[in-house]
Each structure stands twice: as C-alpha cells, then as structure tokens.
Amino acid sequence: YLRSIGFGMAAIGLLEGVAEMVAGLGKAWFGAWSDHLGKRLPFVRWGYGLSALSKPMLALSASIPWVFTARTVDRVGKGLRTGARDAMLNDEAGPDNKAAVFGYHRSMDTMGAVIGPLLALIFLLRNPGAYKPLFWIALLPGLMAIALTFMLKDKPAVAKPDRRPFGLMQASRYWFVAPVAYRKLVGALLVFALVNSSDMLLLLRVREAGLSDSAVIGVYIFYNLVYAALAYPVGRMADRSGIRRMMSFGLAAFALVYAGFSFAGSWPLYMLLFVIYGFYAAATEGIAKAWIGKIVSRDEAASAIGTYTGFQSIAALVASAWTGLVWQFAGVGWAFGISAI
C-alpha cells in the first residue's frame, strides 16, 4: 500500500524505524506510569483502542505526514498497552506456571498475526488494490477486542506515587532502582538483542534462494504457525524443567539458525531452519517475561517488563542496522555468522 501511494524504500524504512522507536520508548514509560498509578486495565484498553483507530486513519488520507501520524498512533498504542498487559498476565500466573501463561499469550497473539494477514490477503486477491476498504473493515475486529476488555477487572494494586512529577525520565528510572538480579538478567538479554536483527533480513536471505514474493510470505506464515504451535507447550516445559535451561536451549537454537543462514543456499534447508527458529522464539520471548516476573515484585511488573521490552526495541534497531551494513559491505556470510558466534 505504501509503495502504491508513492513511498520509496528509504521512506518506508524511516517510517518503520520511527514507529518502532516510539513503541520501544512507550513500553518503558507507560509501564512505569502503570505502576505509578497502580492501574493496568485503562492502559490496556486505550492501547488497543489507539491501534484500532490507526487503521481507518490510513483510509482517510494518503499524504506522507498523515501516514506517519497514523503509524505513530498505532505504535503509541503498542507502547501504551504492553507493560500493563504483561503485568496483568503476571498477576494471573502463579509461581509454577508463569512461563506457560506467557507462552499461551504468545501462542494466541501469533496465531492472530497469522489469521489476520491471511484474511487480508484473501480479500485483496478478490479485490485487488482495495486497501482503503480493507482498513475500514480492520476497525471492526479492533472494536470487538476493545469491547472484550470490559469483561476484565483490575486486581487491586498499590499505587507508587513519586513526589516528583511523572515525566519522561521515568522511562529509564526503573533500571537504576531495580533488583540486582533484574539488571543482570536484562543486561544479558540486551547484549543478545544487539545481535538479534529483524526477521526481515532472514526473509531477504530466503528471497535470494529464488523464491517468489508470495512464497516468501508463505515461509513467514509457516514460521509463525510453528511459533504459535510451540509457544504454550514450550512454556509448560520451562515451568517443569527450569526457565534458565529453556532459555539456554532457545539461544542455542538461534545460534544454529544464524549459522545455517550464513551458508545455506537451498529452500528446503531454509524451511528446516525456520522450524528451529520457531522453537527459538517459543523458548525465549514469553520465557524472558516470565523470568522477569519471577524476580520482581508484583507492583513493579509493568515497569520491569516495560523497561526490558523498550530497551529491547532500541537494541533491535541497532542490530538490524549493523547487520545490514555488514551484509552490504562484507557479505551475508559475515552478517549472519557474527550473530551466530
């Protein structure tokens, strides 16, 4: 759609970069604000509301400033809800099933990320180029999701008011007051995030194997299906065998996949690597949040998870930038090989 209204690749890259930066900073700030007020549900409800509103905004105008505004509104919604939503999940989980709860959420979230685009593709196959009607249609399930949040209730939480006004500096303040165990864990996870580049680079590597654009999209849907199928059972296994052990298996799988992508050249091998990559995602993304939930107090969960996911978003931008540069100037083998090492 962006290409059809005159966006070049540089503008698309800038748009996505700004959007992810907004979401990353928002996760840390709004997570801290949720703990500050002792409330979760308003952040969840407004977060999903803004993301739903951003879809019809794209249908109202095709001007570049307006499209940037709509995409920013969507990512502000993402930042607004993430920390508070994950804190609600943490509240509902016990000490023996945190990984399963977060894994189940990742499974359902990813399944939605498969079904939604598939329905959109079917609509566009029957109605080529009809993007604007599609954006209006996308508002309906968004409104349904917001309506469902009215069936939820906030658990009583203790507000943590600060004598100082709540400002932008609160986004990073939690890092300096967090438990030592949290800083050690998140510090290690962020070092990893600095080599964990965008999945889009993996898809570009597959594209080089000669697959069509439609086939590449199919590969990504396949990966998401694997991830969705594994996230919950892997979470349950982590609760039984240990979160640290499962995280280690996940990171080993990442290293194996990136080593494979550094030299692989046939699409059957790429498919196998994406199966392993699905396991990596299942064994790390929800697991990391469950681990954080185990080492921080309940009234700090939104700040703790929001700070982690916010810094993670920024680190991902850095990782994608340096990986792309190495790919361009030294070759794909070096780009993925360095990450694997």
Side-chain angles (χ1 to χ4, degrees), residues 43-216:
F43 291 86
V44 173
R45 191 170 289 148
W46 279 99
Y48 282 109
L50 286 178
S51 291
L53 178 66
S54 70
K55 306 302 184 293
M57 284 179 67
L58 288 170
L60 294 177
S61 173
S63 73
I64 290 179
W66 182 258
V67 171
F68 263 84
T69 301
R71 186 72 175 123
T72 301
V73 167
D74 176 55
R75 295 294 89 182
V76 168
K78 174 82 169 175
L80 186 59
R81 66 181 180 260
T82 297
R85 181 203 63 208
D86 288 340
M88 290 185 76
L89 289 171
N90 188 61
D91 286 346
E92 296 299 330
D96 298 327
N97 71 339
K98 283 191 186 292
V101 167
F102 279 99
Y104 186 76
H105 169 258
R106 295 311 310 152
S107 179
M108 294 296 99
D109 186 271
T110 305
M111 188 58 69
V114 171
I115 295 172
L118 277 176
L119 292 175
L121 284 172
I122 292 170
F123 177 86
L124 290 172
L125 285 173
R126 296 185 176 183
N127 306 274
Y131 291 105
K132 291 187 176 181
L134 182 61
F135 294 143
W136 285 107
I137 294 171
L139 175 64
L140 298 178
L143 293 176
M144 291 171 61
I146 298 165
L148 288 172
T149 66
F150 285 90
M151 299 175 66
L152 302 174
K153 291 184 178 179
D154 252 338
K155 282 191 173 184
V158 178
K160 300 182 67 176
D162 196 310
R163 291 181 180 179
R164 292 166 294 181
F166 189 85
L168 289 175
M169 292 304 295
Q170 249 75 1
S172 60
R173 182 170 176 265
Y174 180 74
W175 176 263
F176 300 100
V177 300
V180 173
Y182 172 86
R183 292 204 296 270
K184 286 183 176 180
L185 171 61
V186 171
L189 291 174
L190 292 177
V191 170
F192 167 66
L194 288 172
V195 301
N196 184 14
S197 54
S198 170
D199 293 345
M200 202 60 61
L201 295 177
L202 297 179
L203 295 179
L204 288 173
R205 177 67 161 140
V206 173
R207 184 70 178 82
E208 288 187 344
L211 273 67
S212 66
D213 290 344
S214 297
V216 171

Side-chain angles (χ1 to χ4, degrees), residues 317-332:
L317 283 177
V318 175
S320 298
W322 77 254
T323 304
L325 287 171
V326 173
W327 186 340
Q328 181 172 342
F329 293 106
V332 66

